[in-house]
Amino acid sequence: MALSAGTRRTVACLLVGLGALLIVAALLIPTYTVSKLAKTPLDLEITTIATNAPGEDSLVLDSKSLTAPEGAAKIDSNVPLVSQRFLTVEEPSDADEMTVQAGQTLRRIDKQGDTGLLTATIDRVTIDRKSGEPVAKNPNGSIAVTVDKELKSVADPVQHTGLQYRFPIGTEKKTYPYFDLNARKTFDVNFVEESEINNMKVYHFQQTIPATNLYDVVKAPTNKLTFPAAKWGVPGDGDVTMSRWYTNTRDLWVEPKTGTVIKGGEQIHLYYGRDSKPEVTALKSHIVFDENTIESQISVAKENIDKLSLYGRILPIVLGVLGVIALIVGAVLGLRGGGSTPAPARSGGPLSQGRGGSTPSGGARRADNDPPTEQIKITKQP
């Protein structure tokens, strides 16, 4: 059914308006929606599990050997280790900032209960939800490594700087500041190479922590010990005081679009020494994410990639194409509906005249009182 000129003009205006709206939406969605998706979600809950790399040294000091009445310090070898971290979001958190709490333990699983616990920390830090970096408040976080008489953790205020639990969306191939929990300082984490993990593109970063005297970091009793030289297993007589030192090489494999850490590894070395030279090993092991953790992190990254792709590319393209089509159709209808209106067709034909003649059906009939047509007779003159 053909549309009238007025209807075509109305439809044309509606299509042009709809097309303009769709194009504006296509332009605004990547800017507005993607910026919302770029924030760390407030319902974040991440559990990561790391174990010592098979085939590499895994050495742990037997703490009981230090207090035994006889014998030197004993270093156990081939110790199976598991590091577990549970990360949640706590208060205060809002639209721009969030407080992240990470409880982390390192255990030797060849011993049961508390005898297998090597380290335990609770780290809290308030970060910017977009950049992932700590906010400028002082202090912006705390670290707990000890407990009180009621076995409640004792948190020390600690100012955090640099990245820690996530990288920014759109991670670049460059150096970033990265906070080390043990040294409680920030060191550079450097881009190494681009590679793949289970068919996912990742950026490999590496950080080196120099030898750090942990007694200068935390005045904990275990960070400075005094024993006879024989107990330490070093030459000499009398007591020898040693501090606990820490070094680490940290590797991180990051999915660049979302900033998700797909895989992490740490080559930890804790030792006792009178200076930075290692004399008695406390812990030496290469700990890396297990395969289940890697697959879980890949799933998280893929989900976020799909969201960013939908709102950042696919939806704007679809809306833009539909908007252009609506504009073109509206313009064509508008041009066709703007012409002059054709004159209406006449009904019926001319009147038939003549004696005994009849008028066509639908034609005009002569009224009975119309005067007869005057006849003019022309006579030829001689």
Side-chain angles (χ1 to χ4, degrees):
M1 178 179 177
L3 298 177
S4 66
T7 303
R8 284 200 298 269
R9 283 194 294 269
T10 300
V11 173
C13 291
L14 291 175
L15 287 174
V16 170
L18 177 61
L21 181 63
L22 290 174
I23 292 175
V24 170
L27 295 174
L28 291 180
I29 282 178
T31 303
Y32 179 76
T33 307
V34 173
S35 66
K36 295 293 184 182
L37 294 174
K39 293 183 178 181
T40 306
L42 292 175
D43 59 350
L44 190 68
E45 284 191 5
I46 298 177
T47 299
T48 58
I49 297 176
T51 58
N52 52 292
E56 298 189 33
D57 287 339
S58 184
L59 308 176
V60 178
L61 172 64
D62 184 353
S63 58
K64 290 185 176 180
S65 67
L66 287 176
T67 57
E70 297 180 356
K74 179 186 176 184
I75 311 299
D76 295 331
S77 59
N78 299 320
V79 178
L81 300 175
V82 58
S83 175
Q84 184 172 4
R85 184 176 67 199
F86 182 54
L87 187 147
T88 58
V89 178
E90 307 292 336
E91 295 296 335
S93 296
D94 55 35
D96 300 315
E97 300 175 358
M98 63 189 295
T99 299
V100 175
Q101 177 172 290
Q104 184 167 319
T105 59
L106 177 63
R107 294 178 176 273
R108 52 182 302 173
I109 59 177
D110 58 344
K111 293 189 176 184
Q112 300 297 319
D114 293 340
T115 58
L117 182 63
L118 301 177
T119 63
T121 59
I122 298 177
D123 179 40
R124 287 174 63 95
V125 58
T126 302
I127 64 173
D128 183 279
R129 291 182 61 194
K130 285 188 177 181
S131 68
E133 294 192 3
V135 298
K137 298 176 183 177
N138 191 2
N140 55 20
S142 64
I143 298 175
V145 294
T146 59
V147 296
D148 57 19
K149 295 180 179 179
E150 297 179 353
L151 299 181
K152 294 182 179 180
S153 59
V154 178
D156 300 323
V158 176
Q159 189 69 8
H160 293 58
T161 57
L163 304 174
Q164 193 171 357
Y165 296 112
R166 58 154 289 189
F167 278 67
I169 287 181
T171 298
E172 301 178 45
K173 299 177 180 180
K174 67 177 187 179
T175 297
Y176 289 94
Y178 198 89
F179 185 78
D180 182 85
L181 188 61
N182 295 316
R184 301 190 180 185
K185 291 178 62 178
T186 299
F187 301 92
D188 287 344
V189 59
N190 302 305
F191 173 78
V192 178
E193 62 179 350
E194 178 181 322
S195 61
E196 285 190 0
I197 295 179
N198 298 352
N199 297 320
M200 172 167 282
K201 184 180 77 173
V202 293
Y203 289 173
H204 177 198
F205 293 87
Q206 188 174 82
Q207 180 190 47
T208 301
I209 310 300
T212 302
N213 189 336
L214 293 182
Y215 189 75
D216 293 338
V217 178
V218 180
K219 305 298 182 183
T222 55
N223 285 341
K224 181 176 282 190
L225 299 174
T226 301
F227 289 106
K231 176 60 70 175
W232 286 119
V234 298
D237 298 322
D239 290 341
V240 175
T241 299
M242 293 191 185
S243 297
R244 197 180 195 192
W245 293 76
Y246 160 74
T247 65
N248 195 357
T249 299
R250 177 176 286 112
D251 291 281
L252 301 166
W253 287 265
V254 181
E255 194 290 308
K257 293 181 180 179
T258 63
T260 304
V261 178
I262 302 299
K263 180 181 177 181
E266 296 187 10
Q267 300 176 52
I268 302 175
H269 189 193
L270 293 168
Y271 61 89
Y272 286 96
R274 284 166 280 193
D275 52 29
S276 60
K277 179 183 177 180
E279 296 187 75
V280 179
T281 296
L283 171 68
K284 187 176 184 181
S285 187
H286 184 192
I287 301 172
V288 296
F289 282 6
D290 66 6
E291 192 61 31
N292 288 336
T293 297
I294 293 173
E295 288 297 330
S296 176
Q297 293 298 94
I298 288 177
S299 297
V300 171
K302 285 182 177 179
E303 181 180 351
N304 291 328
I305 289 173
D306 290 342
K307 289 180 181 179
L308 290 172
S309 178
L310 174 63
Y311 291 101
R313 184 167 57 90
I314 298 176
L315 194 57
I317 290 176
V318 171
L319 293 179
V321 170
L322 291 177
V324 171
I325 293 174
L327 282 176
I328 293 173
V329 174
V332 171
L333 282 177
L335 291 174
R336 290 183 60 188
S340 59
T341 304
R346 294 180 178 179
S347 60
L351 294 176
S352 298
Q353 297 181 5
R355 187 178 299 174
S358 62
T359 59
S361 175
R365 295 178 181 275
R366 192 192 320 177
D368 293 339
N369 56 354
D370 285 348
T373 302
E374 181 179 2
Q375 299 293 325
I376 302 176
K377 184 176 181 180
I378 301 175
T379 303
K380 183 177 180 182
Q381 297 296 327

